[in-house]
């Protein structure tokens, strides 16, 4: 996969530096063959932890909380540059950063600033899952994913860290059950946010990153085919509703020993409680993980303005979808 993007072009300081992107692409292409030749056949000794949820639901804050306070591996902004040679990126990060952890719980619409902060690793997931864009693929697509290769790469990455590894895994939402079959120690953390607050945050991201609330951003469920022609509130309500319905369908096929549902409000009001729940889930999967620091007692709870001009329309659109689907 190249770093070509099908999604609308980002604007302002969100816009990607194309010359830098091409440099990274050339770097990854030059390292890929050597990296893949050095992958080993290894056992699944460590869990991979996958944070899933609708766009703007709190996935970044949850990844920061876990990465800063638990002794797990995570993808930082340095490692993310090596999407075709992730084990090289991990080794380089361990050497240069000497185990430095995230220290900030801030982000700019999901983007973190410092080199040791978490990154969603989007190019990596698009490459391994062979996705042309951030859109749900047709029925049967899952059969074409190279799950043997994906298992090998992820296991080698956990062994490079010598500990469980946490990801933000947006594209994986349509394949959670298959992932759990391929890697039985997989853990899935589904974060949910009030759908109206969630939707208004997506509106903010559309305007800031694309320059217009009329342009679609991030995940496209299969219903995008008709949602794209609907009014903006219906688009966003549908994006959240159908994304969460897909996650619910996948989670429903996985045992409770591998899943944890986290409410955004609980993440903000009791972050230590969320960590303790995760530690218990890891323990149930045979993973002994230490807590290496303590989080703030609370995070600021980010709720959208009650007077937002699209709030009522967004609520009506969401409730209409609920009524139509039962």
């Amino acid at each position: 996969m190249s770093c070509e993007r099908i999604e609308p072009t980002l604007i302002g300081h969100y816009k990607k530096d194309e010359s830098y992107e091409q440099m990274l692409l050339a770097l990854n292409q030059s390292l890929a063959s050597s990296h893949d030749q050095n992958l080993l056949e290894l056992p699944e000794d460590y869990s991979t932890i996958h944070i899933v949820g609708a766009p703007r639901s709190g996935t970044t804050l949850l990844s920061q909380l876990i990465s800063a306070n638990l002794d797990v591996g995570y993808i930082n902004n340095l490692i993310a540059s090596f999407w075709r040679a992730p084990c090289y990126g991990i080794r380089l990060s361990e050497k240069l950063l000497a185990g430095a952890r995230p220290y900030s719980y801030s982000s700019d619409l999901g983007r973190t600033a410092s080199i040791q902060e978490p990154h969603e690793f989007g190019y990596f997931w698009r490459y391994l899952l062979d996705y042309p864009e951030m859109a749900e693929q047709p029925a049967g697509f899952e059969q074409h994913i190279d799950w043997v290769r994906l298992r090998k790469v992820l296991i080698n990455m956990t062994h490079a860290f010598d500990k469980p590894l946490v990801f933000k895994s947006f594209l994986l939402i349509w394949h959670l059950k298959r992932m759990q079959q391929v890697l039985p120690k997989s853990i899935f953390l589904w974060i949910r946010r009030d759908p109206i607050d969630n939707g208004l945050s997506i509106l903010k991201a559309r305007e800031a990153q694309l320059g217009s609330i009329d342009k679609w951003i991030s995940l496209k469920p299969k219903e995008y085919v008709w949602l794209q022609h609907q009014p903006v509130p219906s688009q966003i309500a549908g994006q959240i509703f159908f994304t969460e319905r897909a996650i619910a369908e996948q989670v429903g096929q996985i045992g409770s020993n591998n899943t944890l549902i986290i409410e955004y409000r609980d993440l903000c009001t009791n972050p230590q409680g969320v960590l303790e729940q995760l530690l218990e889930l890891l323990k149930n999967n045979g993973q002994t993980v230490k807590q290496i620091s303590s989080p703030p007692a609370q995070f600021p709870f980010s709720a959208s303005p009650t007077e937002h001009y699209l709030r009522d329309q967004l609520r009506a659109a969401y409730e209409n979808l609920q009524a139509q689907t039962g």
Side-chain angles (χ1 to χ4, degrees):
M1 187 206 82
S2 73
C3 51
E4 178 186 356
R5 290 173 300 282
I6 297 175
E7 292 78 13
T9 302
L10 301 173
I11 65 170
H13 68 277
Y14 301 103
K15 186 176 181 178
K16 292 184 181 290
D17 181 334
E18 292 301 329
S19 63
Y20 183 71
E21 294 289 303
Q22 290 303 315
M23 181 199 75
L24 286 182
L25 177 59
L27 174 65
N28 277 271
Q29 289 174 334
S30 68
L31 293 174
S33 178
S34 170
H35 174 271
D36 291 352
Q37 289 174 12
N38 282 286
L39 293 176
L40 303 174
E41 296 294 340
L42 298 168
E44 186 195 8
D45 291 336
Y46 307 103
S47 290
T48 50
I49 305 163
H50 301 278
I51 298 172
V52 298
R56 309 296 306 140
S57 60
T59 55
T60 299
L61 181 59
L62 180 56
S63 70
Q64 290 171 313
L65 173 70
I66 296 169
S67 303
N69 297 287
L70 298 187
D71 187 22
V72 296
Y74 71 99
I75 304 304
N76 60 31
N77 285 316
L78 174 59
I79 298 170
S81 297
F82 296 83
W83 69 89
R84 272 295 280 114
C87 293
Y88 287 176
I90 292 167
R91 294 291 301 276
L92 185 63
S93 176
E94 296 286 285
K95 186 73 171 179
L96 296 180
L97 300 181
R101 290 274 164 173
Y103 58 84
S104 168
Y105 292 102
S106 64
S107 65
D108 183 359
L109 296 176
R111 293 189 174 195
T112 57
S114 64
I115 198 167
Q116 68 263 45
E117 289 286 330
H119 190 284
E120 71 180 48
F121 218 16
Y123 289 167
F124 171 83
W125 286 110
R126 278 182 57 181
Y127 169 73
L128 273 186
L129 296 174
D130 198 24
Y131 267 65
E133 58 174 326
M134 293 186 71
E136 184 175 3
Q137 298 301 298
F141 177 83
E142 188 170 81
Q143 302 173 29
H144 301 290
I145 296 172
D146 189 344
W147 293 102
V148 173
R149 173 171 170 72
L150 186 146
R151 171 187 166 89
K152 188 174 186 177
V153 172
L154 292 185
I155 287 179
N156 273 261
M157 291 173 69
T158 63
H159 279 262
F161 278 114
D162 198 24
K163 59 188 69 172
L165 174 56
V166 61
F167 294 98
K168 281 172 61 177
S169 309
F170 282 116
L171 290 179
L172 201 62
I173 65 169
W174 295 295
H175 309 288
L176 303 184
K177 175 60 177 177
R178 185 71 175 117
M179 175 62 82
Q180 195 269 330
Q181 292 172 339
V182 170
L183 290 170
K185 293 183 180 180
S186 297
I187 288 174
F188 307 100
L189 309 181
W190 176 16
I191 183 162
R192 302 189 302 192
R193 186 178 184 181
D194 173 82
I196 310 308
D197 287 340
N198 197 160
L200 292 176
S201 185
I202 293 174
L203 273 173
K204 178 182 177 182
R206 281 187 173 198
E207 187 165 24
Q209 296 184 341
L210 301 177
S212 170
I213 65 170
D214 297 313
K215 296 180 180 180
W216 193 285
I217 197 167
S218 194
L219 293 175
K220 297 176 182 177
K222 64 179 182 294
E223 292 80 7
Y224 170 79
V225 172
W226 59 268
L227 281 172
Q228 63 180 315
H229 303 297
Q230 301 301 307
V232 169
S234 296
Q235 289 181 19
I236 292 176
Q239 183 180 28
I240 295 168
F241 181 85
F242 292 113
T243 297
E244 293 219 314
R245 188 172 73 171
I247 296 172
E249 289 173 354
Q250 291 288 315
V251 167
Q253 301 177 62
I254 301 170
S256 59
N257 197 52
N258 295 81
T259 58
L260 176 62
I261 300 174
I262 301 166
E263 299 296 333
Y264 175 73
R265 182 178 292 275
D266 294 336
L267 172 64
C268 293
T269 59
N270 186 17
Q272 178 60 36
V274 170
L275 289 177
E276 290 171 0
Q277 287 180 287
L278 175 54
L279 287 170
E280 184 65 23
L281 194 61
L282 285 162
K283 182 180 178 181
N284 292 340
N285 280 272
Q287 308 288 293
T288 302
V289 174
K290 294 180 180 179
Q291 183 167 343
I292 55 178
S293 60
S294 298
Q298 293 185 332
F299 296 119
F301 181 70
S302 180
S304 56
T306 57
E307 70 278 7
H308 194 284
Y309 74 103
L310 285 179
R311 174 179 281 276
D312 290 343
Q313 295 178 51
L314 183 58
R315 184 179 299 279
Y318 191 84
E319 290 176 352
N320 184 51
L321 284 171
Q322 288 180 309
Q324 289 180 354
T325 58

